[in-house]
Amino acid sequence: MEEEKSISVIRKKEHLVEEARKFNLLSNVFMSVALDDKAACQHVIRILTGIPDLVVKEVRSQYRISKVTSHDAVLDILAEDGKGRLHNLEIQRKDTVDHARRSRFYAAMIDSEYLMKGQEYSDLPEVYMIYISETDLWKAGRTVYEAQKAFKDTDILYEDGVHIIYVNAAVDDGSEIAKLMNYFKTADPADQSQGDLSKRIHLMKCEEGGYDLMCEVSERIYNEGKIEGKIEGKREGKLEGKRETALNLAEMGMPVESIAKAVKEGVGLVQQWISGANAARQ
């Protein structure tokens, strides 16, 4: 029995690694491991920023910034270049997120993390927020959208040191960035068109030394799935508790608007709960 159990574990691990090899660079977990390498990360950032001589000095993947009283930020990739500029690369596959405010929040968290006590505001580093999506979030048929701030009714640019760049893999305009995004969609180890990034992908997917890296990818994906499942379960349980409270308050004759305030949910959802309960009784 022990031998069978051992074989089962080995086979499970091999299966997880094989599945991880199918992932592309639009998976934030896979990208985080792939770009946790200075040369590969440097190749990507040079293309996305248009700074050909940029040199990556440090890189961190899945970098968490925590504050006691605020929402955490987990950065897929945070890199620092030789001139002290910070580059945050994020993969976003959901269209339902408020992308502009998410970028604003992440930039604010980075600023708060890297302005030390006693420093001047002028010491804040230049920050590049690079937001990579599978779809064309802004739906204007462009591969790249770079935010630009200016004073209203003037041509005077408002330079605050934050550069926000949205890149998508859906629109191919023939540019070097579009070619990179096409590679992101496949992460084909036989495709050697992307320099040090291609070398990193080939190592991860085909070479003996990449086995441990693929194990890391598979374990992260597996653990991320478990965590998301727990979070979703807690969320569903909490919502069900609110529903029960809402129905009890409705039976006591409380108006829908007051119930919504009490359970901190929308009036429409509360009305839906009550209507559903009434229909079930009929």
Side-chain angles (χ1 to χ4, degrees), residues 171-202:
V171 179
D172 187 347
D173 62 3
S175 65
E176 289 303 308
I177 291 179
K179 291 175 184 176
L180 177 64
M181 288 300 100
N182 286 331
Y183 182 83
F184 263 55
K185 289 191 285 188
T186 64
D188 181 358
D191 182 348
Q192 293 297 301
S193 66
Q194 294 298 320
D196 287 319
L197 177 61
S198 291
K199 291 177 184 177
R200 176 70 167 177
I201 297 303
H202 191 275

Side-chain angles (χ1 to χ4, degrees), residues 12-56:
K12 181 178 179 181
K13 173 64 72 176
E14 289 175 343
H15 174 71
L16 285 171
V17 171
E18 192 57 39
E19 287 300 305
R21 285 197 174 108
K22 298 176 184 177
F23 277 81
N24 61 32
L25 287 158
L26 293 173
S27 159
N28 67 329
V29 178
F30 185 80
M31 186 198 74
S32 295
V33 177
L35 299 192
D36 193 12
D37 171 82
K38 289 181 184 179
C41 187
Q42 178 174 283
H43 175 85
V44 171
I45 293 176
R46 280 180 173 181
I47 291 175
L48 295 180
T49 61
I51 306 174
D53 60 348
L54 180 147
V55 176
V56 168

Side-chain angles (χ1 to χ4, degrees), residues 7 9 15-16 28 39 42 85 106 110 125 130 132 167 173 180 182 200 226 243 248 268 281:
I7 292 172
V9 169
H15 174 71
L16 285 171
N28 67 329
Q42 178 174 283
R85 295 171 294 207
Y106 273 48
I110 292 171
I130 304 172
I132 302 170
V167 181
D173 62 3
L180 177 64
N182 286 331
R200 176 70 167 177
K226 286 201 301 183
R243 177 181 173 277
N248 289 334
R281 293 192 191 102

